[in-house]
Amino acid sequence: MAKKWLVMYEVSQKQHYIFRSNRLRENIGASTIIRWLTETPERLFEEWKTAFPQPAHRIVGGGNALHVFDSPDDAKAFANGLSFGVLKNLPGLELFLVSDEMDWEKDNLYATESRFGENANVIQRMRDKLADKKNRRLHAVRQATWGIHRLCSESGLPANEFFRPPGESEDIPRAKELNVKAEYGRKSQEDFEDRFLKGLAVETANGKPLAFMSQAYLEEVLGGERTAKNYVAIVHIDGNAMGTKVNAFLQTPFESNEDYVHRYAQFAADIDRAYTSAMRKTIEHVMRCFDGWATRLFGGSDEKRFDHAHVVPLRPVVASGDDVSFIAVGQLGIELARIFIQHLQQQSMDINGNAFRFDACAGVAIVRRKFPFWLAYELAEKLCNNAKKRLKREAEEWKTADSGGNGEDFEASLVDWEIVTGGDLDLDIEQRRKTAFQTKDGLLVNRPYYLFRERDMRKDVHPANYMTAFLHALEIIEKDGMARSKWKALRSVYHKGMVATEQWAVQNRFNPGLALYVKTGLEEGAISAFFYDAIEAMDHLIRLGEVSTR
């Protein structure tokens, strides 16, 4: 009997761990720690000066990592080394780990139609054990301090180390967790640049190689003003219909567990390739539009434009498969989400001879630079989920069109956003919009908006629901010559209802050339204030041009 010993683990509350700080280097460092922990733990073992037991196989996906060992001693040494290393060296990170064993020749890692029982799908059995362990956690709330510690001013955690900020002459007390993240941020600085910037066909005006924006860039370019320039965007993008792709993959007639491991690695690599390509093309796009957006961002300062001509106005934080998050200049966040998705929609992957396309939903939280990043990310995630809810809710009206004969449901992409100008934040998106934007005539806001491929434009989805309609409304605001104060007055009047709005338009000779209200759905009375979203976003959005479909 060829036995194997398995260890599966995952990091809990990843996004809270990553975005606990408002410093880019620490965000990147936290993301790097999680990526190394799941994908290449040998790098951490080397950092910890601990022997690394080499696994026979490894599978990374679905939010967790599985390592397969030839001996129980290696499995135990790996589990102990990983657990002890995290506890000792990575404060604040929460790790869950389970172990198991299997007959490599008789048991299956994967599910099959011909076999049933716990040994027919070992991976799912271990995921169930992991979920059960998380549900049985002894301390859902941990006591970080006994009240006798000096507190870190940035995190509220015990300040158990000292840190000297760049350019300062004195040390300040600080939480070890933040120092560790900052250190890994320095170590991994080239990781994202090699993956996303290396080899891009972009020439910069100052001749310097491309670089992602830094903390200093945020503070110099976005700091110091009480305007839209003082905002950052947290963008979260999550793939649609990934379950459809996984189910199609699992229909593969695997010859053995080794065959499954090999094919799964290729499956995961194809997904990663599509999202990496979309990010690289997004960066090329935004940097080729530099003159357009830099003029608004830097104003009349030619010196600033030249000095920052090589700086990409975003910073990837999470880029794992179909899960992507980045921080960007606030006025570019919505457009960067749109451009990323449109480039992603041009990608496809082959599964058992069938072509599957890529779609995704995006949530964009536009907040002031000093707003807590972890809360902004939570909002971005909620917005992404809200977009997925709309997709699911309206799917019955147009699903299965253009499935290509491969059984894949028709898909689309959507983008949703919120601009947080005050300190209050309601994470219940639907309830907030019903409370703040509902009138007797209908809902004022029309987001989230659909992003269709040009050939997929649907007759049963009103054009006002398209992202192109929002951008068209924005273009009218920018080019019609009316004072922006008049548009902002329209936004206020919209809240009084359709009759009051139309009377106001007549009294003020307000005629933008398009109806102020449009019917947006098939159901009776489904109307929307056509310009409302565009007026709200007009100070917080700089256009970046169209994506070529060639």
Side-chain angles (χ1 to χ4, degrees):
M1 181 172 67
K3 292 191 71 174
K4 299 287 185 183
W5 288 261
L6 296 78
V7 177
M8 178 181 282
Y9 59 95
E10 71 173 63
V11 176
S12 181
Q13 301 181 23
K14 299 181 184 71
Q15 309 306 337
H16 182 71
Y17 179 74
I18 291 171
F19 290 101
R20 196 197 297 267
S21 162
N22 271 36
R23 291 182 179 271
L24 286 178
R25 178 166 287 174
E26 289 155 19
N27 302 143
I28 301 303
S31 176
T32 296
I33 289 168
I34 294 174
R35 189 171 72 253
W36 287 8
L37 195 67
T38 53
E39 297 177 9
T40 53
E42 56 269 28
R43 296 179 74 170
L44 290 175
F45 275 68
E46 184 179 354
E47 293 274 336
W48 302 335
K49 295 180 171 52
T50 303
F52 178 72
Q54 190 65 41
H57 306 284
R58 70 177 77 185
I59 301 171
V60 179
N64 49 55
L66 173 69
H67 286 62
V68 182
F69 295 92
D70 291 327
S71 77
D73 292 340
D74 283 349
K76 185 176 180 180
F78 175 77
N80 289 345
L82 193 69
S83 301
F84 183 75
V86 167
L87 288 171
K88 180 181 179 181
N89 301 292
L90 303 177
L93 188 139
E94 190 173 28
L95 180 75
F96 285 89
L97 182 149
V98 295
S99 58
D100 209 334
E101 61 182 67
M102 66 178 290
D103 187 319
W104 193 250
E105 301 298 332
K106 295 181 179 180
D107 301 339
N108 287 341
L109 286 169
Y110 50 92
T112 64
E113 294 182 357
S114 59
R115 290 199 61 187
F116 301 94
E118 64 176 12
N119 294 328
N121 189 353
V122 174
I123 289 179
Q124 188 58 51
R125 182 178 77 198
M126 295 192 71
R127 284 176 176 164
D128 290 343
K129 289 175 65 175
L130 203 58
D132 183 60
K133 192 169 190 177
K134 290 169 68 176
N135 290 335
R136 289 187 290 107
R137 68 178 77 187
L138 296 178
H139 304 290
V141 178
R142 292 183 295 176
Q143 184 164 352
T145 175
W146 294 102
I148 59 174
H149 302 90
R150 189 171 182 176
L151 297 181
C152 170
S153 60
E154 297 179 43
S155 65
L157 297 170
N160 40 20
E161 288 189 349
F162 284 98
F163 168 76
R164 180 168 297 182
E168 300 293 332
S169 58
E170 295 184 3
D171 293 338
I172 60 172
R174 204 158 183 258
K176 180 181 179 181
E177 177 183 328
L178 302 187
N179 287 343
V180 168
K181 290 175 180 177
E183 181 62 25
Y184 278 96
R186 283 187 286 270
K187 292 175 181 177
S188 63
Q189 186 172 347
E190 296 180 358
D191 286 7
F192 279 132
E193 292 182 352
D194 286 345
R195 181 178 174 187
F196 295 123
L197 300 183
K198 193 173 182 179
L200 292 184
V202 176
E203 293 185 5
T204 60
N206 59 18
K208 295 180 181 179
L210 291 176
F212 289 117
M213 68 179 189
S214 63
Q215 188 70 30
Y217 181 89
L218 278 183
E219 293 174 0
E220 180 179 349
V221 176
L222 306 184
E225 292 190 39
R226 302 291 294 178
T227 66
K229 291 182 183 180
N230 193 242
Y231 286 72
V232 296
I234 309 292
V235 181
H236 175 63
I237 297 171
D238 190 39
N240 294 342
M242 295 308 296
T244 301
K245 295 178 178 63
V246 171
N247 289 335
F249 167 75
L250 291 175
Q251 299 304 311
T252 305
F254 304 113
E255 297 177 1
S256 62
N257 286 320
E258 282 92 346
D259 184 41
Y260 170 83
V261 172
H262 172 74
R263 288 176 182 264
Y264 185 86
Q266 184 59 52
F267 173 77
D270 287 344
I271 294 172
D272 195 64
R273 170 195 53 78
Y275 281 78
T276 298
S277 176
M279 177 62 82
R280 287 173 63 84
K281 289 181 178 179
T282 298
I283 293 167
E284 284 186 336
H285 185 112
V286 69
M287 294 311 290
R288 286 172 180 166
C289 297
F290 177 83
D291 287 341
W293 58 263
T295 299
R296 281 188 60 180
L297 197 63
F298 300 117
S301 175
D302 292 336
E303 182 180 359
K304 276 191 174 182
R305 289 179 60 188
F306 181 81
D307 290 344
H308 296 106
H310 66 294
V311 179
V312 180
L314 65 88
R315 166 70 75 166
V317 178
V318 178
S320 178
D322 71 318
D323 184 9
V324 174
S325 299
F326 57 85
I327 301 172
V329 170
Q331 291 173 292
L332 301 178
I334 296 171
E335 280 287 82
L336 286 169
R338 172 185 70 86
I339 290 165
F340 181 97
I341 288 177
Q342 288 183 318
H343 281 300
L344 180 67
Q345 288 177 324
Q346 297 177 9
Q347 304 292 318
S348 65
M349 67 183 295
D350 179 86
I351 305 175
N352 296 326
N354 295 314
F356 284 77
R357 307 180 308 183
F358 286 93
D359 279 284
C361 285
V364 184
I366 301 173
V367 299
R368 293 192 183 277
R369 185 174 60 86
K370 294 189 177 181
F371 192 88
F373 279 4
W374 67 269
L375 190 56
Y377 175 81
E378 192 169 344
L379 174 60
E381 192 174 40
K382 296 278 188 182
L383 289 163
C384 183
N385 291 338
N386 192 55
K388 286 178 177 285
K389 280 183 184 179
R390 179 171 190 173
L391 181 63
K392 184 177 180 179
R393 184 172 62 245
E394 300 179 358
E396 293 300 322
E397 299 177 11
W398 46 267
K399 70 178 183 180
T400 69
D402 192 26
S403 62
N406 57 19
E408 183 183 19
D409 287 342
F410 176 78
E411 270 293 333
S413 299
L414 291 97
V415 180
D416 199 359
W417 65 85
E418 283 286 332
I419 302 167
V420 182
T421 56
D424 295 334
L425 179 62
D426 186 353
L427 292 175
D428 189 337
I429 307 297
E430 288 187 86
Q431 185 58 47
R432 177 180 178 274
R433 289 178 179 175
K434 286 179 181 178
T435 302
F437 304 112
Q438 186 76 47
T439 71
K440 62 182 180 180
D441 301 306
L443 193 64
L444 294 175
V445 299
N446 199 37
R447 56 188 190 266
Y449 285 95
Y450 280 102
L451 268 173
F452 287 106
R453 298 169 184 81
E454 188 173 336
R455 63 180 179 274
D456 292 340
M457 295 298 189
R458 303 285 299 153
K459 293 180 180 179
D460 48 358
V461 176
H462 193 282
N465 293 300
Y466 295 174
M467 189 74 174
T468 50
F470 162 75
L471 295 174
H472 182 49
L474 195 70
E475 185 178 9
I476 291 174
I477 292 173
E478 295 289 343
K479 294 183 178 180
D480 80 333
M482 281 191 284
R484 294 172 82 84
S485 59
K486 214 164 193 178
W487 283 103
K488 290 181 180 180
L490 171 63
R491 180 174 180 265
S492 298
V493 174
Y494 264 136
H495 285 268
K496 298 179 180 179
M498 185 184 297
V499 174
T501 300
E502 291 176 346
Q503 289 175 346
W504 176 88
V506 172
Q507 292 168 359
N508 289 271
R509 298 180 181 180
F510 188 90
N511 182 15
L514 285 176
L516 300 182
Y517 287 89
V518 293
K519 179 177 172 61
T520 58
L522 299 179
E523 65 273 19
E524 187 68 27
I527 65 168
S528 177
F530 183 69
F531 288 99
Y532 194 93
D533 286 329
I535 297 170
E536 186 180 47
M538 64 183 183
D539 291 332
H540 296 271
L541 191 150
I542 299 174
R543 291 284 277 120
L544 292 176
E546 299 303 320
V547 173
S548 173
T549 58
R550 291 182 297 173

